[in-house]
Amino acid sequence: MTMQSDSAPAADRRLILLLAGMAGLGEFAATAWLPALPAVANDLGVGLGTVQATVTAGLVAFALANPILGPLSDRIGRRRVLVPGFAAYLVGCVIAMAAPSAIWLILARILQAVGACAGLVVGRAIARDRHDGAALTRIMALITLVFSVAPVAAPLIGGLLTDGVGWRAIFLVAFVYAALLLPLLHRLPETRPSGTAATPITALPRSYAGMLREPGIGTALAGSALLLAVLFVFLVGAPAIFVQGLGLGASVVGTFPLLTMGGFVIGTVLAARLADRMRPRGLMRVGAGIAVAGTLAMLTLPVAPLPTLAAMAIFDLGLGLVLPVVGSTVMTAFSSRAGLASGLIGLVQITGGALGAGLVPAVGGPAELAVPALMSGLAGVACLCFLARDAGGSR
């Protein structure tokens, strides 16, 4: 298979733009309305926990779609999975805009999640179809940056829309965002190599179990999933701390993740630049250590916007180092089954995000104490995964 050079032509630049756009698609719809959760609960006449459950439903649907859509793209092609996925996403946005109850909102979130999953899981496979080695790590850093910055920047937009127009406008913006990607999708060539291995649906559990048993793969994926759980604990728990607890406005709280984005950007840039200089295992361990330090700082510092943001920026720096390296490691290890490998990454990591979102309503005690404690515990276990003897393999 011939890999593309770093000086990509215009067609390849459009491809990279589409990959980045698809990476942020689902996360925008999933997180832009987090500051609006109290307003959604009041509008629909349900408890905050019920609305928080819609977040978990979307994450679970996203996670379950990964191990199906990834291998499916190996079998029938990348485009033939992407196009129906975009259609499902757009329909989900329309249903969410008009949802009369939480049940309809859950249905909308499931459709959005499945559609967005097609964009992310197939996008990773396309990146592997076109790139290898350090170049793949750099592309994965870009995809990871957009995928993880979207839930950081989107709450700012969601908070402003909620306070200024109403929470339903968030899904109109999500619809427009997806529609803007359609011209790029129309021009996307089929990138699946002719020799791609197609795994039968009945063999998927055995195939994934075998991949997780490969040295360094299971521990690296588990550690990254737990770090994503930490991120979603903060995203889902922040409104309870700052909107309900401290009485801040949704638009103000929506700026908090955006203000910590610099840490994640620095982390992904470092991951791309250090790809040729450090082994993946070393990069993962350094990133995990930084992430743990951030959660411990949040646990010990006063509950106030400034110290919380500083601690979260430290965590985001570590997360930005870890995610692209884990993704590149897994995709490289299973280069002949890129869709299958991409599905495994999504399944494990999004399950981690769903775990974090689902734990927030379940924890007891004041949110300003329970949320940082939960974050620290999950980050500590993640660090142990990366410290395991085979974490990241020997490369």
Side-chain angles (χ1 to χ4, degrees), residues 73-74 77-82 122 125-126 129 190-192 338:
S73 76
D74 284 341
R78 314 304 186 203
R79 281 186 55 88
R80 295 172 73 180
V81 174
L82 276 178
V122 177
I126 292 172
D129 293 340
E190 179 56 59
T191 65
R192 180 189 58 159

Side-chain angles (χ1 to χ4, degrees), residues 30-325:
T31 61
W33 67 309
L34 290 178
L37 293 182
V40 176
N42 290 335
D43 186 33
L44 298 180
V46 297
L48 182 60
T50 300
V51 180
Q52 288 174 329
T54 67
V55 179
T56 304
L59 290 171
V60 170
F62 198 110
L64 294 178
N66 270 273
I68 298 173
L69 298 182
L72 187 62
S73 76
D74 284 341
R75 178 174 292 274
I76 67 174
R78 314 304 186 203
R79 281 186 55 88
R80 295 172 73 180
V81 174
L82 276 178
V83 173
F86 264 77
Y89 184 88
L90 292 170
V91 171
C93 289
V94 173
I95 294 175
M97 281 187 276
S101 67
I103 296 298
W104 282 98
L105 201 55
I106 289 174
L107 173 62
R109 287 294 305 120
I110 290 173
L111 284 173
Q112 287 178 322
V114 172
C117 175
L120 182 62
V121 72
V122 177
R124 279 193 298 253
I126 292 172
R128 182 62 188 91
D129 293 340
R130 290 295 191 93
H131 297 276
D132 201 355
L136 176 61
T137 299
R138 288 190 285 272
I139 295 297
M140 292 298 296
L142 173 63
I143 293 175
T144 302
L145 176 63
V146 177
F147 176 67
S148 299
V149 165
V152 172
L156 171 62
I157 300 172
L160 292 172
L161 288 171
T162 300
D163 287 348
V165 183
W167 63 269
R168 295 179 190 274
I170 296 170
F171 296 101
L172 174 60
V173 174
F175 182 94
V176 172
Y177 173 14
L180 290 174
L181 295 176
L182 290 177
L184 293 173
L185 177 62
H186 177 69
R187 302 180 68 176
L188 175 70
E190 179 56 59
T191 65
R192 180 189 58 159
S194 57
T196 300
T199 304
I201 296 295
T202 55
L204 288 179
R206 184 171 66 254
S207 297
Y208 281 131
M211 294 167 80
L212 288 172
R213 287 194 296 268
E214 288 292 317
I217 299 301
T219 49
L221 282 173
S224 65
L226 287 168
L227 290 182
L228 282 169
V230 174
L231 175 65
F232 274 88
V233 167
F234 176 76
L235 291 173
V236 176
I241 297 174
F242 296 106
V243 176
Q244 294 183 328
L246 299 182
L248 300 178
S251 58
V252 175
V253 175
T255 66
F256 288 179
L258 178 64
L259 295 175
T260 67
M261 182 174 62
F264 191 86
V265 172
I266 293 171
T268 54
V269 170
L270 285 175
R273 293 195 174 186
L274 295 176
D276 291 319
R277 305 177 189 178
M278 289 183 65
R279 292 191 302 172
R281 176 166 52 189
L283 280 172
M284 293 178 199
R285 290 176 173 176
V286 169
I290 294 172
V292 170
T295 61
L296 292 176
M298 186 179 298
L299 183 63
T300 56
L301 292 172
V303 180
L306 185 59
T308 298
L309 295 179
M312 198 60 196
I314 296 172
F315 169 82
D316 282 346
L317 191 153
L319 184 67
L321 266 173
V322 167
L323 290 185
V325 181

